[in-house]
Amino acid sequence: QVQLVESGGGLVQAGGSLTVSCAASGRIFSINDMGWYRQAPGKQRELVALITSGGTKQYADSVKGRFTISRDNAKNTVYLQMNSLKPEDTAVYVCYAYFYGLGDYWGQGTQVAVSS
């Protein structure tokens, strides 16, 4: 069984920084894409950032220049460094991974709240 476990969410003031991380565990052969989605109350889930196994990164326009995604393949972990946070970044951040031979997996989510 494969699991994605997020950590690092919390409450921060506008302009502040926060890092969330997500570790994959279980019978993993290899991980292709890893990334983060977010869902705010009353809104659809949206892609925040994605990183391929080769290190190619993709960001939502709303977070470009403020958020940085990275991964440690040895630890099967993906990170999202969030700087210059805005109240509109408030959401549940959900980890995503595509495992070779297994398909898409999602974490439970971690709450990020940004106060104005």
Side-chain angles (χ1 to χ4, degrees), residues 29-42:
F29 178 65
S30 70
I31 307 175
N32 293 349
D33 296 347
M34 299 188 80
W36 293 91
Y37 285 72
R38 68 186 181 187
Q39 187 162 18

Side-chain angles (χ1 to χ4, degrees), residues 6 20 35-49 59-64 66-67 80 82-96 106 109-112 114:
E6 301 106 331
V20 290
W36 293 91
Y37 285 72
R38 68 186 181 187
Q39 187 162 18
K43 295 189 177 181
Q44 288 189 329
R45 182 175 290 187
E46 63 173 352
L47 174 67
V48 177
Y59 295 97
D61 287 343
S62 59
V63 306
K64 283 180 181 176
R66 300 188 297 121
F67 290 12
L80 185 68
M82 301 179 286
N83 298 326
S84 302
L85 282 160
K86 304 175 181 179
E88 51 264 43
D89 294 318
T90 295
V92 174
Y93 284 69
V94 183
C95 179
Y96 162 82
W106 301 87
T110 185
Q111 178 70 53
V112 172
V114 184

Side-chain angles (χ1 to χ4, degrees), residues 18 73 98 101 107 116:
L18 204 60
N73 291 328
Y98 183 85
S116 56

